[in-house]
């Protein structure tokens, strides 16, 4: 049965694809998003981070373009990405591009989430438009990612290193160090279409196990950087915070169709009212370190509550305010809205 589903997905006939091949087609939110954040050249601009671009943002932009059925924008973003971030001596992407710096890429390290997002977007593009060049490019990235970033026989199960350099047991005494927000769960069902020789499903399982195991302090939340040299603990040299990146964990779970209430419980306890802002905390004490008030962020707990409890999605969170909010909340909100339409239509406002 699984082989049949993989083949159907590869042909663009997965269950979600049958119902909504382009869930963001005709979306005012997508049109506003690309008008503000995607340049004519195809650079996705992180407006909340000094106007830089990064592999993560390029991958998000490519993925959203596929979800909108917008091939022209997809190709524009992919062309810029190839020209400006695929500058390493392998098939992975340099993680950061700065418009006011020369050279614009100062750090040649990669970022696993950016690599994975771009490869996943290419896999989705194959299903949408059946261009062989997308399949070849996606496979090259996926194979390199599998070879260099997946630890297949780690004590906690297959692990995804955050980057080629800096996080392994050889690189640091408390290594391997991981970041659970880099486990992009909805990508793992698609990556076998590009590189079936790697254990993507094992990564999915290990990520869920670690989310349950890495519950630190009174908030029972994971820190962003976690040492797995023994039992999971906050990694040395990093703030032990559930922070800006970690809020993607429940989003990715929901996008993948996870409905186990216990996976979402600590996140939903932290965010009881999606439309009132998202708290971030220091995991040791539970102290709130920041509160994210842009409305796009509220789509994350709203989607998580739908996945875990069947809670209706608030109508006010269906409007994407790309004209006034930054790239990051607008991106996460669009991803949540696509998942709402494809996976959880019963929760959607009528």
């Amino acid at each position: 049965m699984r082989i049949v589903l993989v083949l159907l997905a590869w042909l663009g006939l997965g269950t979600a694809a049958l119902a909504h091949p382009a869930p963001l087609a005709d979306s005012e939110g997508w049109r506003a998003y690309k008008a503000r954040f995607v340049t004519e050249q195809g650079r996705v601009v992180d407006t909340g981070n000094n106007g830089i671009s990064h592999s993560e943002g390029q991958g998000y932009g490519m993925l959203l373009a596929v979800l909108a059925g917008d091939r022209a924008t997809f190709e524009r973003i992919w062309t810029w990405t190839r020209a400006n971030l695929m500058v390493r001596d392998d098939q992975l992407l340099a993680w950061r591009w700065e418009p006011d710096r020369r050279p614009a890429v100062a750090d040649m390290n990669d970022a696993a989430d950016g690599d994975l997002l771009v490869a996943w977007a290419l896999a989705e593009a194959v299903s949408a438009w059946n261009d062989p060049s997308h399949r070849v490019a996606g496979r090259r990235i996926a194979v390199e990612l599998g070879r260099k970033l997946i630890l297949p026989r780690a004590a906690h199960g297959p692990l995804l290193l955050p980057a080629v350099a800096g996080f392994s047991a050889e690189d640091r005494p408390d290594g391997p160090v991981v970041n659970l927000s880099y486990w992009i769960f909805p990508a793992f069902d698609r990556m076998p279409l590009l590189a079936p020789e790697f254990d993507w499903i094992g990564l999915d399982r290990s990520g869920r196990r670690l989310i349950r195991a890495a519950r630190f302090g009174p908030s029972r939340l994971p820190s962003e950087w976690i040492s797995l040299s023994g039992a999971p603990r906050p990694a040395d040299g990093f703030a032990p915070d559930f922070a800006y990146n970690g809020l993607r964990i429940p989003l990715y779970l929901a996008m993948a169709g996870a409905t186990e209430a216990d996976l979402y419980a600590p996140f939903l306890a932290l965010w009881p009212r999606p439309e009132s802002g998202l708290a971030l905390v220091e995991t040791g004490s539970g102290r709130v370190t920041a509160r994210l008030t842009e409305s796009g962020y509220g789509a994350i707990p709203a989607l998580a509550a739908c996945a875990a409890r069947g809670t209706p999605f608030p109508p006010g969170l269906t409007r994407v305010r790309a004209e006034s909010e930054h790239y990051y909340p607008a991106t996460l909100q669009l991803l949540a809205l696509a998942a709402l339409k494809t996976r959880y239509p019963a929760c959607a406002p009528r």
Side-chain angles (χ1 to χ4, degrees):
M1 182 63 179
R2 179 170 179 77
I3 292 173
V4 172
L5 289 174
V6 168
L7 289 172
L8 288 173
W10 188 236
L11 294 170
L13 298 175
T15 53
L18 275 172
H20 297 286
L24 296 179
D26 302 319
S27 163
E28 289 291 341
W30 166 245
R31 284 192 285 272
Y33 182 95
K34 69 178 181 178
R36 180 161 184 220
F37 305 122
V38 183
T39 70
E40 290 185 8
Q41 294 74 32
R43 182 168 81 87
V44 180
V45 179
D46 186 345
T47 55
N49 196 8
N50 299 316
I52 70 164
S53 294
H54 31 69
S55 56
E56 166 203 294
Q58 297 302 119
Y60 281 141
M62 291 166 62
L63 182 62
L64 291 171
V66 180
L67 293 172
D70 187 342
R71 186 169 184 178
T73 303
F74 175 92
E75 298 294 353
R76 196 162 83 239
I77 298 172
W78 174 223
T79 297
W80 189 93
T81 303
R82 288 200 313 271
N84 293 276
L85 296 182
M86 299 194 77
V87 293
R88 293 166 47 90
D89 59 3
D90 58 18
Q91 298 298 316
L92 302 177
L93 290 80
W95 76 278
R96 179 184 178 99
W97 190 95
E98 300 176 75
D100 299 325
R101 187 166 185 162
R102 292 295 177 270
V105 175
D107 181 355
M108 295 297 286
N109 208 7
D110 70 315
D113 60 338
D115 298 327
L116 185 53
L117 282 164
V118 171
W120 177 25
L122 287 163
E124 296 297 343
V126 174
S127 293
W129 302 306
N130 198 29
D131 186 329
S133 72
H134 297 147
R135 182 183 291 110
V136 171
R139 174 164 173 79
R140 286 174 176 165
I141 297 169
V143 168
E144 203 82 331
L145 189 156
R147 287 180 53 242
K148 294 185 174 180
L149 297 176
I150 295 176
L151 301 180
R153 290 177 292 276
H156 296 272
L159 298 180
L160 182 66
L161 289 174
V164 170
F167 298 94
S168 70
E170 290 73 29
D171 291 327
R172 42 185 300 140
D174 63 341
V177 164
V178 301
N179 187 320
L180 289 176
S181 75
Y182 287 26
W183 258 257
I184 305 174
F185 293 101
F188 295 145
D189 272 343
R190 305 293 278 169
M191 296 304 286
L193 307 175
L194 297 175
E197 60 266 48
F198 298 101
D199 188 8
W200 306 103
I201 303 309
L203 271 180
D204 182 287
R205 292 173 182 150
S206 70
R208 296 179 194 223
R209 283 197 300 270
L210 287 169
I211 289 168
R212 290 182 168 106
R215 294 186 169 177
F216 308 137
S219 62
R220 309 296 291 160
L221 289 163
S223 58
E224 294 224 322
W225 301 99
I226 299 169
S227 166
L228 296 178
S229 60
R233 64 178 179 84
D236 298 337
F238 294 97
D241 293 351
F242 173 74
Y244 195 66
N245 289 302
L247 56 86
R248 298 179 297 179
I249 297 171
L251 172 63
Y252 290 153
L253 286 168
M255 288 173 65
T259 56
E260 301 97 315
D262 69 301
L263 285 171
Y264 297 101
F267 306 103
L268 292 177
L270 181 66
W271 303 323
R273 294 180 297 279
E275 294 174 291
S276 66
L278 271 62
L280 306 177
V281 301
E282 195 273 324
T283 60
S285 66
R287 176 180 58 87
V288 172
T289 58
R291 194 170 295 276
L292 305 176
T293 58
E294 289 175 286
S295 64
Y297 290 117
I300 297 173
L303 187 70
C306 167
R309 305 168 181 164
T311 304
F313 195 91
L317 292 176
T318 61
R319 184 191 164 202
V320 180
R321 294 173 170 81
E323 71 285 349
S324 59
E325 298 192 357
H326 283 303
Y327 143 86
Y328 192 49
T331 298
L332 302 183
Q333 185 179 16
L334 279 172
L335 292 172
L337 292 174
L340 180 69
K341 191 168 186 179
T342 56
R343 289 200 178 271
Y344 310 102
C347 290
R350 303 296 179 185

